[in-house]
Amino acid sequence: MELNNAVKFLQGKTILITGATGFLAKVFVEKILRLQPNVNKLYLLVRASNNKSATQRLYDEIISTELFKILRNNWGSKFDDLISSRVKAVAGDISFENLGLNDSELREEMLKKIQIIVNVAASTNFGERYDDALGINTFGALNVLNFGKKCDEVKLFLHISTAYVGGEETGIILEKGENLKRRNDINIFEEKRLAEELLSQLQNQCIPDTAITSSMKEFGLERAKMNGWPNTYVFTKAMGEMLLGKFKGDLPLVIIRPTIIASTYKQPFPGWIEGVRTMDVVLVNYGKGKLTCFPGNLNSALDVIPVDMVVNAMVVAMEVHYAQHQYSSSMTEI
């Protein structure tokens, strides 16, 4: 896609972005503002008690980061005006119905104006508590979808998944969704019931919170491996995809499945990353001498992709699939 196509496409668009304080979402927001400052509005869903706290998190954890230095330098004294006019932090949580939006007036405004929904929110902890991972990665995705189906002008739901939803399959796994369809016998709502039942039992035993957390983490890994996935993260993300495919209705759905996301390659500048994440843990521990060996196949490809390449794919997917209601395919995957 030529740059001019993306610039033209983004002009005047109203977009909801979940997981806004996360690594990938920040790069996505910066990309849009740098590429097309005349986007109409970016609603950023942020976990916070109210919109004032959400706005504070917007500036403390997103706008003030080094990632925005190019944009800040380009706009100079007008940078704050750009942010205030184009970006709106919204207090909410995808674990709840209607995304936990308590501000009814703002919720109605969003329902009337949103044209594109980009669901980036996720718990990427491989050994997350099973109830928390289900709440965010599985049923959280469904909550975002259901909210999107209520939006008057919505024409695209873009969901960020992971390349590893295929689980512990062997051989070449094609990006056509068959690997998940073969496993549609999984009763996802039963998985939720089992998690809630165990949590209730543990709470009734009056054991410490740390012990409850440990048990819920172990249960998640147990359920994942029992069903053919290596960890709780990819298992709950796979179930999230299944729910989206089943309940999408007429809403155009695009799923992007990146591999291990690493630092920026080129844009807005090379090498930006936030914290120690994904494969960085291995590199840091090797550098400190704490990790002397790591099992692997020297002939295999390193499954890593720079975050700005993922963001570029997101923008391309939005431009290509926007307003394609006439297509009859149940799901498009990239």
Side-chain angles (χ1 to χ4, degrees):
M1 181 187 69
E2 295 181 359
L3 182 61
N4 289 339
N5 291 348
V7 173
K8 182 178 179 180
F9 162 73
L10 288 170
Q11 183 173 356
K13 293 297 186 297
T14 301
I15 306 171
L16 169 64
I17 304 169
T18 69
T21 58
F23 174 54
L24 176 60
K26 290 178 184 178
V27 180
F28 181 65
V29 169
E30 193 277 341
K31 173 77 173 187
I32 292 178
L33 293 175
R34 182 164 41 84
L35 196 61
Q36 178 50 277
N38 288 322
V39 64
N40 181 56
K41 184 74 71 176
L42 301 179
Y43 289 106
L44 306 187
L45 193 71
V46 177
R47 278 187 174 181
S49 57
N50 52 54
N51 289 332
K52 182 178 179 181
S53 298
T55 300
Q56 191 64 50
R57 287 196 68 187
L58 166 66
Y59 282 91
D60 291 347
E61 302 178 35
I62 303 176
I63 304 304
S64 65
T65 62
E66 185 185 17
L67 175 68
F68 284 79
K69 70 178 184 180
I70 302 297
L71 194 64
R72 190 177 295 107
N73 290 339
N74 289 344
W75 282 80
S77 60
K78 296 182 179 180
F79 176 75
D80 289 338
D81 291 337
L82 170 69
I83 300 302
S84 61
S85 63
R86 304 304 182 195
V87 182
K88 174 69 175 179
V90 179
D93 189 331
I94 70 167
S95 299
F96 297 95
E97 186 180 357
N98 284 322
L99 310 184
L101 299 175
N102 296 322
D103 187 333
S104 59
E105 185 176 337
L106 177 59
R107 182 174 65 243
E108 290 305 312
E109 172 190 312
M110 294 168 64
L111 289 173
K112 290 178 181 178
K113 296 182 177 181
I114 289 172
Q115 298 166 290
I116 300 172
I117 294 178
V118 181
N119 184 36
V120 190
S123 170
T124 58
N125 186 337
F126 287 4
E128 182 64 272
R129 285 179 53 141
Y130 196 35
D131 54 332
D132 289 346
L134 282 169
I136 299 172
N137 297 339
T138 305
F139 290 94
L142 181 60
N143 288 336
V144 181
L145 177 72
N146 287 335
F147 182 83
K149 290 165 73 173
K150 298 176 185 177
C151 295
D152 296 338
E153 301 296 327
V154 70
K155 294 181 175 64
L156 180 67
F157 186 100
L158 180 65
H159 176 71
I160 307 303
S161 186
T162 170
Y164 307 108
V165 290
E168 296 178 330
E169 295 280 343
T170 58
I172 296 175
I173 302 176
L174 300 179
E175 285 292 331
K176 292 180 183 283
E178 285 86 350
N179 50 320
L180 295 184
K181 291 177 183 177
R182 286 201 301 269
R183 299 179 178 182
N184 273 343
D185 57 338
I186 294 176
N187 188 329
I188 302 174
F189 292 92
E190 176 65 9
E191 291 298 318
K192 181 181 180 182
R193 189 195 67 79
L194 290 173
E196 291 174 344
E197 181 179 69
L198 176 60
L199 179 60
S200 179
Q201 291 174 357
L202 293 170
Q203 290 172 336
N204 290 336
Q205 295 174 18
C206 298
I207 61 178
D209 290 342
T210 53
I212 292 177
T213 295
S214 178
S215 294
M216 294 305 296
K217 286 183 176 182
E218 291 176 5
F219 187 59
L221 290 172
E222 175 187 317
R223 297 302 301 176
K225 292 178 180 179
M226 180 182 299
N227 285 283
W229 277 267
N231 57 63
T232 307
Y233 166 58
V234 295
F235 180 42
T236 53
K237 288 293 284 186
M239 288 191 288
E241 281 196 25
M242 294 175 192
L243 289 180
L244 293 180
K246 183 176 182 179
F247 295 108
K248 64 179 287 297
D250 295 330
L251 180 59
L253 170 67
V254 175
I255 294 177
I256 293 183
R257 294 173 172 170
T259 55
I260 302 171
I261 302 178
S263 63
T264 55
Y265 172 53
K266 287 184 177 179
Q267 298 179 344
F269 52 89
W272 186 82
I273 197 167
E274 192 171 51
V276 178
R277 54 185 70 242
T278 61
M279 64 173 292
D280 302 323
V281 176
V282 176
L283 300 178
V284 169
N285 283 315
Y286 174 77
K288 290 182 175 180
K290 295 181 179 180
L291 184 68
T292 57
C293 65
F294 189 82
N297 185 344
L298 294 177
N299 295 319
S300 65
L302 185 60
D303 234 355
V304 177
I305 184 167
V307 64
D308 47 332
M309 290 187 178
V310 178
V311 165
N312 288 343
M314 293 166 67
V315 174
V316 169
M318 288 164 52
E319 193 272 339
V320 170
H321 295 283
Y322 184 78
Q324 289 193 349
H325 286 283
Q326 68 271 25
Y327 283 81
S328 59
S329 58
S330 62
M331 190 186 313
T332 302
E333 296 176 354
I334 292 182

